[in-house]
Amino acid sequence: MGFVSLGCPKALVDSERILTQLRVEGYDLVQTYDDADVVVVNTCGFIDSAVEESLDAIGEAMAENGRVIVTGCLGKRADVIREAHPDVLAISGPADYSSVMTAVHAALPPTRNAFLDLLPAAQDDVGIKLTPKHYAYLKISEGCNHRCSFCIIPSMRGDLVSRPVDQVLREAEKLVMGGVRELLVVSQDTSAYGVDVRYAEREWRGRAYQTRMKSLCEGLSQLGVWSRLHYVYPYPHVDDVIPLMAEGKVLPYLDIPFQHASPRVLRLMKRPGAVEKTLERVQNWRRMCPQLTLRSTFIVGFPGETEAEFEELLDFLDEAQLDRVGAFAYSPVEGAAANDLPDPVPEDVKQERLARFMERQAEISAARLEAKVGTVQQCLVDMVDGELAIARSKADAPEIDGVVQIQNGGEMGLKPGQFVDVEIMGSDEHDLFGEALAPEPAKLAPLPMHA
């Protein structure tokens, strides 16, 4: 079996689960089209560029192999796939593992070993992971109850369906037993976790936990590794997890997609629009947890956005002083309600605003990173290349944030997955530079005094 995985971390988790089931059923996983009897392509379909990338990947698999099963978000638009590639073997939507396996069985029936089938599954087996051994994505729910006008995720992945909290905590525990040192909590809306099941209680390690973001964090804190929250909406109950961050129980890091700062544009987006309250809460979070890192994403050039409303967004950046920011020029997505809004912003204006936005944020990011020069940061090593080790601090999520370049990583014998204290010596707009500190020698307990 060949496999191509595209899209976001949630899709990556779907790929890991499909690959694990393929392995359980005895399929060999190969790295080239030539060696594969069948190829599965897990697609993304959120924005037009992702659709194009997915169609290109399907086309490449068809040209190089010819026997292709398509799954993932773009699978919800089977007509688009069939129009471009009419000869694919089967199409299914996101997280539809049973349909994928049915298609695989039809294309390449499994050859089972009757003796191996009698063996029980290993209790600490976490399946195939597509991330490095020391970090993993932990998906806590599927779907979303929001109906943001620019987004089609609910039409692809459905309404919110939360995983039972004990199931999530057991998976996290197995991941840690398997060597994971950082858990990245992902979903479409992490702060809504459990609302669909009325925050049902489940038991883990002899204690009751609610299916709720705060309770999940309390459970994860028992595992002794980094836990990082992604895709958090700015609901009032987010305030409840900040003390856990201040106490070091979960990482002091929030990934919150604010999307804009103009109340009118936010209403057009069907997003929460109380910007002043948002700023108050950001300031309150930082009072409660001064080391908190805030990451967010924004859309510029949304239909109807005026120059004055864009300036409101720049003013928000100055006020909020966010640590990490991503931004996109608005792009129409087929099926999104925002496509019908009046007064689209010309493409050249969108790009000009995006450049101004990123320039403003670059200044803020550079200043916030420069303030860390002279401090000591706990870091997790991702890779070592000669003398240089690439690591991340508590403020840095993999793939999307900056890194800490450790100049003496080779000399200190650092390894991927290792925690190390780093003295920060310099910075730029994105990254920190420093040197690893030698661990303090263990101190012997004083000998007891005898009369």
Side-chain angles (χ1 to χ4, degrees):
M1 292 295 305
F3 204 98
V4 178
S5 182
L6 304 172
C8 67
K10 281 88 72 181
L12 186 76
V13 173
D14 292 343
S15 294
E16 291 173 341
R17 290 179 179 171
I18 295 168
L19 286 166
T20 297
Q21 187 60 34
L22 288 169
R23 188 179 69 176
V24 165
E25 295 193 12
Y27 289 96
D28 291 328
L29 306 175
V30 297
Q31 300 297 314
T32 67
Y33 290 119
D34 288 342
D35 292 333
D37 294 301
V38 181
V39 177
V40 177
V41 180
N42 189 15
T43 60
C44 180
F46 178 47
I47 58 177
D48 288 348
S49 60
V51 172
E52 291 175 15
E53 181 185 16
S54 294
L55 291 175
D56 288 347
I58 296 167
E60 179 179 303
M62 288 295 296
E64 297 293 331
N65 182 277
R67 290 167 56 79
V68 178
I69 294 167
V70 179
T71 189
C73 284
L74 190 58
K76 284 289 189 177
R77 298 166 62 186
D79 55 328
V80 174
I81 298 170
R82 290 287 184 195
E83 183 178 351
H85 306 292
D87 295 328
V88 297
L89 298 177
I91 301 172
S92 57
D96 189 355
Y97 313 128
S98 62
S99 292
V100 175
M101 296 310 301
T102 298
V104 169
H105 295 160
L108 186 65
T111 55
R112 305 298 290 263
N113 184 315
F115 295 103
L116 291 179
D117 287 349
L118 295 175
L119 295 175
Q123 292 303 303
D124 61 348
D125 184 19
V126 295
I128 292 176
K129 309 304 295 180
L130 298 178
T131 52
K133 184 178 180 180
H134 59 279
Y135 69 81
Y137 293 103
L138 183 67
K139 186 159 72 166
I140 63 172
S141 64
E142 190 63 76
C144 183
N145 288 343
H146 293 282
R147 295 297 183 265
C148 302
S149 64
F150 55 83
C151 181
I152 58 172
I153 290 297
S155 68
M156 293 180 171
R157 292 184 172 263
D159 289 338
L160 176 72
V161 179
S162 300
R163 294 177 62 199
V165 67
D166 59 324
Q167 183 184 109
V168 174
L169 289 171
R170 284 198 302 271
E171 180 184 349
E173 188 173 31
K174 289 181 180 180
L175 287 167
V176 172
M177 290 170 61
V180 166
R181 293 294 170 260
E182 178 179 12
L183 296 164
L184 301 126
V185 177
V186 296
S187 67
Q188 301 299 337
D189 180 1
T190 296
S191 39
Y193 178 57
V195 68
D196 57 310
V197 295
R198 300 185 179 182
Y199 310 112
E201 279 194 356
R202 302 290 282 262
E203 187 173 302
W204 177 68
R205 288 187 172 182
R207 178 188 157 184
Y209 288 87
Q210 286 187 311
T211 305
R212 185 189 293 269
M213 182 172 65
K214 180 185 177 184
S215 189
L216 172 67
C217 290
E218 290 171 340
L220 293 175
S221 73
Q222 301 300 307
L223 297 175
V225 298
W226 284 4
S227 296
R228 189 183 301 275
L229 300 179
H230 287 279
Y231 309 106
V232 177
Y233 278 68
Y235 299 137
H237 67 262
V238 174
D239 299 2
D240 297 339
V241 304
I242 305 299
L244 300 179
M245 295 179 176
E247 296 166 13
K249 293 184 175 180
V250 292
L251 287 183
Y253 180 103
L254 279 177
D255 172 15
I256 300 185
F258 290 123
Q259 304 297 8
H260 211 279
S262 159
R264 191 186 76 90
V265 173
L266 286 167
R267 285 194 297 273
L268 291 174
M269 291 179 168
K270 297 187 178 178
R271 300 279 299 184
V275 177
E276 288 304 317
K277 288 186 178 179
T278 298
L279 282 171
E280 287 177 13
R281 294 180 63 215
V282 166
Q283 292 159 1
N284 187 46
W285 292 341
R286 285 192 166 133
R287 280 192 293 270
M288 296 167 66
C289 181
Q291 66 270 38
L292 178 66
T293 294
L294 288 172
R295 150 169 275 283
S296 191
T297 51
F298 295 87
I299 298 173
V300 302
F302 192 77
E305 180 192 66
T306 65
E307 177 63 24
E309 288 166 335
F310 175 70
E311 290 288 345
E312 288 182 62
L313 180 53
L314 296 182
D315 291 343
F316 178 86
L317 289 182
D318 290 338
E319 287 278 338
Q321 291 289 298
L322 303 175
D323 300 272
R324 305 290 193 187
V325 168
F328 309 90
Y330 173 76
S331 173
V333 177
E334 185 175 336
N339 297 343
D340 299 326
L341 292 173
D343 305 318
V345 178
E347 189 61 34
D348 60 334
V349 176
K350 285 193 281 190
Q351 295 303 323
E352 184 266 343
R353 288 178 182 171
L354 178 62
R356 285 162 58 197
F357 178 97
M358 295 309 296
E359 182 179 1
R360 181 71 62 90
Q361 179 57 37
E363 295 172 2
I364 295 168
S365 296
R368 294 191 69 81
L369 288 172
E370 187 178 9
K372 295 183 179 182
V373 174
T375 67
V376 174
Q377 301 288 327
Q378 185 189 36
C379 297
L380 179 60
V381 178
D382 280 337
M383 62 172 291
V384 180
D385 183 8
E387 280 302 306
L388 185 68
I390 303 298
R392 291 176 293 105
S393 72
K394 295 177 180 179
D396 306 309
E399 307 289 341
I400 56 175
D401 292 329
V403 299
V404 180
Q405 299 187 27
I406 305 174
Q407 309 301 309
N408 61 340
E411 175 189 337
M412 297 297 289
L414 299 182
K415 305 292 183 186
Q418 179 179 346
F419 286 110
V420 61
D421 287 336
V422 180
E423 183 177 2
I424 305 303
M425 319 289 284
S427 66
D428 60 19
E429 293 176 2
H430 304 288
D431 301 330
L432 297 172
F433 309 88
E435 293 191 349
L437 300 177
E440 292 186 9
K443 295 180 179 179
L444 297 176
L447 293 174
M449 299 296 290
H450 297 280

